[in-house]
Amino acid sequence: MSPEAIPTSAPTTRPAPADSAASRRYEIRVGGMTCAACASRVERKLNKLDGVSAVVNYATERARVECPADTDPRLLMNEVERAGYTARRVDDVRTDDGPGDGRVTELRWRLAVAAVLAVPVCDLSLALSLFPELRFPGWQWVCLLLAGPVVTWCAWPFHRAAVNGLRHRTSTMDTLVSAGIVAATLWSLWVMVKGGPVEPGLGRGLAVLGGGDHALYLDVAAGVTTFLLAGRYVEARAKSSAGAAMRALLALAAKDVEVLREDGPVRVPVSELLVGDEFVVRPGEKVATDAVVREGRSALDTSMVTGEAVPREVLPGDAVIGGTVNAGGRLLLRATRVGADTQLARMGRLVERAQEEKAAVQRLADRISAVFVPVVLVLALLTFAGWLLLGGDTATAVTTAVAVLVVACPCALGLATPTAVLVGTGRGAQLGVFIKGPQALESTRRVDTVIFDKTGTLTEGRMHVVDVWASPGTGRDELLGVAAAVEHASEHPIARAVVAAAGSGPVPPVSDFSALPGLGARGTVDGRGVVLGRDRLLADVGFDIAGDLQARRASLEAGGVTVVLVGWDGAARGLIAVADRARPSSAAAVTALRALGLHAVLVTGDNERTAQAVAAEVGIDDVVAGVLPEGKAEVVRRLQGEGHRVAVVGDGVNDAVALAAADLGMAIGHGTDAAIEAADIVLARDDLFVVADAIELSRRTHRTIRWNLAWAFGYNVAALPLAMAGLLGPLIAGAAMALSSVFVVSHSLRLRRFTPTHGEPARPAPAVLSR
């Protein structure tokens, strides 16, 4: 996907400020929103301000605002409050307590009171409707006494939001609900005070017809209020749970740390930690920040950060991630990143940004929601008038209009996409998959080809000694020891591999060391002039290379490994073969991708022989070797020109161009900043199964969004005509409306239980490259 196709900020209804350097971003918690129409109203209000570009997410109850740098944030919050909502600035996602926590408690109390009072009023109405002989004088006043608190105090959130909307000349879902409750209540009061007979009317309100002009609909008003409060309560709890994974991730950070100062160790808050500070992590403690191991060895539990179930062993020189738990020995670490620069904080921002951006289909749903409420109000009036014109009694016309008002539910439309994105990205964070936005979710379902970089992606990115062969008369340990003595003075990756293979024992001193770039190195060890490197170097200095040693070298190089010859006293004494090993998970991960219907391609700047060897080891058939960074992007564009949707997995600066050119860019989390910024998805785990996990999770999330939208649209298309025709009573309409939103949120919450399959059967992958 090109950079132009990937918005770096949330999509908006107007262009973002042109000069990003002169702009600033604010996060605002918006309270009091009850449906997607509310979010649309706040968004419109903010976007009317000069230079302001805002996106409001109903599911997360947050507004992300970009504005000129000199904009007073109080102006933004005042605009939200003038729209009828509360506003609170959030400077850091860690300071935010999640959407709707206080609202859940309020709704719980209102629902409890409503249920206690509505059940007896509905039961009484039903009993008196079925058995007229049970009616007693003043029964209607008992119903009013029971229903009164329900339609006033319990239903107050609906009335308050409706009044706020009228004051600002707008309408929301609460306008419909409040109008329905008020209409049923006022009609009942009119029947009670006008004199004449009074009938229980609808009983439980399950039917529309049969009440007559003397029917009392207090049971309808109380029952609808209870149903809708139950739906709102379940929805609020589910929305709060949807972001639980993200909040758990951000809560991983340690609170304090033991730092080594000149006068000894001292425990300080993590906020006081600086880059370069050395600190101690004991067994069971959290790593305070991103760091590198100075002393000690241990195993780190990274499951909550990267999703890896098996603790990772770390040694001096290894990088560690803040938020992981030390499961083994004592470690002395040096801080490399602190505060907002740590991987945990950066990953948190990625998920936060993904949850706040809107997919194209969600923007369409928001536009529909914005005009839906006025349309429903008009339909309710038309329904009322139509029933009267067709000869129906007033009570039937009122009840039918109430059913139309109550059954309409734009909330489900507004929740369909953001709740799925919220839960899906949170679950991805638990698995080590950080999705930057809904666009990435939409891209993954079309991907059919995955391009892998080699070094650091399919392979571990570190040289290892894979073979040591000594000529007759020379011991293997002697050969390694002499080579390590010379290489100990070098920082070359091959030199580090040789030193590591020799072990941690004492190394003989070396003198007269000199590195020969591109050829090898030489030095004096124990009085012997040692040369090691390519066969050409040894030949140039006149060393004899035996035939069997040459044959062994040629055989190993044919397998794609790098061979270092070692010689002294005028002859080659043996060889050391080094290679960048494939990750243990690479072969199985490629198999898992095939099972998902994806075709794998290896594109690398390394030589053909090495690339083919690695490809054969991991099971990739198509290889393009010896290409520069721009050449990788050309391969991407060629495949796209052939009609393929291409994902690129890489970790280095040389992969950034290809990552940006791809339909879907995936960066290994330990890679360079350039690669991470260019990618659509960041993969935090070291095993490549995470690539299959990311694609499968994205597909599942997108499938959930489609089902949610299908339900939300289908519900309204089917329910409104039925209500207008008199086939849905107000209580059934209220229950259906509440359940529609609950269904959408609950369906999204199923993503919390997502577990990768790694191998479900799929269609055969297309052949995309021929060599």
Side-chain angles (χ1 to χ4, degrees):
M1 186 176 291
S2 64
E4 291 78 15
I6 308 171
T8 56
S9 60
T12 62
T13 56
R14 65 198 298 174
D19 185 2
S20 60
S23 66
R24 187 166 182 180
R25 177 176 296 172
Y26 292 102
E27 303 284 344
I28 298 175
R29 165 72 67 196
V30 181
M33 295 192 298
T34 56
C35 68
C38 298
S40 297
R41 183 201 308 174
V42 176
E43 194 170 284
R44 288 196 303 272
K45 286 281 188 181
L46 289 171
N47 282 325
K48 287 179 181 178
L49 298 175
D50 289 339
V52 171
S53 176
V55 170
V56 180
N57 191 310
Y58 170 50
T60 60
E61 298 181 3
R62 291 166 73 102
R64 187 169 70 167
V65 186
E66 286 195 18
C67 56
D70 58 354
T71 301
D72 188 341
R74 289 174 296 184
L75 174 67
L76 305 174
M77 292 186 285
N78 288 340
E79 194 67 21
V80 174
E81 290 169 353
R82 278 197 291 269
Y85 304 92
T86 63
R88 178 169 63 86
R89 180 175 161 188
V90 180
D91 294 312
D92 187 340
V93 69
R94 289 175 175 78
T95 67
D96 200 8
D97 54 2
D101 291 337
R103 188 161 171 256
V104 170
T105 302
E106 178 194 357
L107 287 172
R108 183 190 300 118
W109 279 106
R110 294 185 189 274
L111 173 60
V113 173
V116 168
L117 297 177
V119 170
V121 75
C122 290
D123 287 343
L124 179 62
S125 296
L126 178 62
L128 297 180
S129 177
L130 296 176
F131 306 103
E133 62 273 13
L134 296 179
R135 297 175 190 174
F136 53 89
W139 64 267
Q140 62 270 36
W141 298 102
V142 173
C143 289
L144 179 61
L145 182 66
L146 293 171
V150 179
V151 299
T152 54
W153 183 79
C154 296
W156 179 243
F158 305 119
H159 302 321
R160 179 179 55 205
V163 171
N164 281 338
L166 291 175
R167 191 166 65 243
H168 295 90
R169 299 179 183 177
T170 59
S171 56
T172 67
M173 181 61 217
D174 295 289
T175 307
L176 306 181
V177 173
S178 179
I181 295 171
V182 170
T185 303
L186 290 179
W187 173 262
S188 300
L189 292 175
W190 166 250
V191 170
M192 292 172 63
V193 300
K194 75 175 182 177
V198 179
E199 298 291 329
L202 303 184
R204 284 189 181 273
L206 298 178
V208 173
L209 304 178
D213 285 344
H214 304 289
L216 203 67
Y217 296 135
L218 290 173
D219 58 339
V220 171
V224 166
T225 300
T226 305
F227 277 129
L228 297 184
L229 280 174
R232 287 283 171 87
Y233 172 68
V234 174
E235 175 191 316
R237 282 197 61 183
K239 282 168 60 180
S240 182
S241 299
M246 186 62 221
R247 293 195 296 275
L249 176 70
L250 294 170
L252 290 177
K255 303 298 185 292
D256 52 32
V257 59
E258 182 178 311
V259 181
L260 299 184
R261 303 293 193 199
E262 291 182 359
D263 53 351
V266 58
R267 202 153 196 94
V268 300
V270 170
S271 59
E272 297 182 12
L273 199 61
L274 302 175
V275 172
D277 280 348
E278 293 188 350
F279 60 96
V280 175
V281 181
R282 293 180 172 82
E285 292 183 340
K286 290 181 180 178
V287 176
T289 192
D290 294 357
V292 64
V293 179
R294 291 292 306 277
E295 295 178 9
R297 57 186 302 164
S298 180
L300 292 185
D301 180 0
T302 64
S303 57
M304 284 299 292
V305 177
T306 67
E308 293 177 275
V310 179
R312 181 170 67 91
E313 185 177 359
V314 292
L315 304 172
D318 288 344
V320 298
I321 302 171
T324 54
V325 178
N326 183 9
R330 178 184 182 275
L331 292 174
L332 175 62
L333 307 177
R334 179 174 55 81
T336 55
R337 288 181 176 178
V338 297
D341 293 329
T342 64
Q343 181 166 332
L344 187 63
R346 294 167 70 200
M347 297 302 101
R349 287 196 298 273
L350 289 181
V351 179
E352 183 188 22
R353 186 173 76 181
Q355 293 175 346
E356 291 177 356
E357 289 184 357
K358 293 184 180 180
V361 67
Q362 178 60 30
R363 293 194 291 274
L364 173 62
D366 286 350
R367 286 195 294 270
I368 294 173
S369 297
V371 300
F372 191 82
V373 174
V375 169
V376 172
L377 287 172
V378 172
L379 290 177
L381 291 174
L382 292 176
T383 300
F384 176 78
W387 276 89
L388 291 179
L389 291 175
L390 292 174
D393 55 59
T394 306
T396 300
V398 169
T399 310
T400 309
V402 169
V404 171
L405 291 172
V406 171
V407 80
C409 184
C411 291
L413 284 175
L415 290 168
T417 298
T419 53
V421 172
L422 189 68
V423 181
T425 52
R427 178 59 180 147
Q430 292 177 326
L431 295 172
V433 176
F434 295 86
I435 303 169
K436 287 189 177 180
Q439 292 78 15
L441 293 173
E442 293 172 352
S443 298
T444 51
R445 65 188 179 97
R446 299 188 297 268
V447 166
D448 59 23
T449 304
V450 180
I451 290 178
F452 286 98
D453 173 50
K454 181 184 73 69
T455 305
T457 302
L458 284 175
T459 65
E460 296 178 350
R462 292 184 298 178
M463 288 292 187
H464 301 269
V465 172
V466 296
D467 192 14
V468 178
W469 190 84
S471 300
T474 302
R476 180 184 183 279
D477 291 342
E478 180 188 9
L479 184 76
L480 259 181
V482 171
V486 176
E487 297 285 36
H488 197 270
S490 173
E491 290 296 325
H492 193 279
I494 292 178
R496 290 199 296 267
V498 171
V499 172
S504 57
V507 176
V510 61
S511 60
D512 301 325
F513 171 82
S514 62
L516 306 173
L519 294 174
R522 63 193 307 169
T524 302
V525 179
D526 293 334
R528 295 177 293 188
V530 180
V531 178
L532 68 163
R534 294 187 176 185
D535 57 334
R536 191 179 79 189
L537 173 62
L538 272 72
D540 287 346
V541 297
F543 278 33
D544 178 54
I545 304 176
D548 55 349
L549 186 58
Q550 284 282 29
R552 183 80 174 182
R553 177 194 60 79
S555 174
L556 288 169
E557 289 183 343
V561 302
T562 300
V563 175
V564 176
L565 296 179
V566 184
W568 60 83
D569 294 339
R573 305 295 176 173
L575 59 81
I576 300 172
V578 296
D580 182 9
R581 292 189 303 215
R583 294 178 184 273
S585 61
S586 294
V590 170
T591 301
L593 289 174
R594 271 201 208 94
L596 292 173
L598 301 165
H599 187 76
V601 182
L602 173 59
V603 180
T604 178
D606 212 337
N607 63 76
E608 180 80 19
R609 187 167 54 194
T610 301
Q612 290 289 355
V614 172
E617 184 178 356
V618 302
I620 293 179
D621 298 324
D622 294 323
V623 179
V624 179
V627 294
L628 297 174
E630 183 56 38
K632 293 184 179 182
E634 287 297 328
V635 174
V636 172
R637 285 189 280 268
R638 174 161 66 86
L639 290 171
Q640 290 170 331
E642 295 171 0
H644 298 289
R645 298 286 184 174
V646 182
V648 171
V649 184
D651 73 321
V653 173
N654 61 340
D655 301 315
V657 179
L659 287 166
D663 298 285
L664 181 70
M666 295 183 175
I668 303 295
H670 64 253
T672 64
D673 290 347
I676 291 174
E677 287 300 319
D680 304 297
I681 297 177
V682 179
L683 310 173
R685 293 206 322 256
D686 277 339
D687 69 88
L688 283 185
F689 274 121
V690 72
V691 177
D693 292 353
I695 291 174
E696 193 176 355
L697 173 62
S698 298
R699 288 179 175 180
R700 185 76 59 84
T701 303
H702 197 274
R703 189 157 61 240
T704 299
I705 291 172
R706 292 204 310 270
W707 274 105
N708 285 351
L709 288 172
W711 167 263
F713 279 112
Y715 163 82
N716 282 296
V717 168
L720 275 172
L722 290 175
M724 294 174 68
L727 300 178
L728 285 181
L731 281 186
I732 291 180
M737 195 221 75
L739 289 174
S740 67
S741 293
V742 172
F743 171 84
V744 165
V745 178
S746 300
H747 188 234
S748 296
L749 286 175
R750 293 177 62 206
L751 288 169
R752 291 193 302 179
R753 299 191 297 272
F754 166 79
T755 302
T757 59
H758 295 320
E760 60 184 8
R763 63 186 184 282
V768 297
L769 284 175
S770 59
R771 296 287 296 170

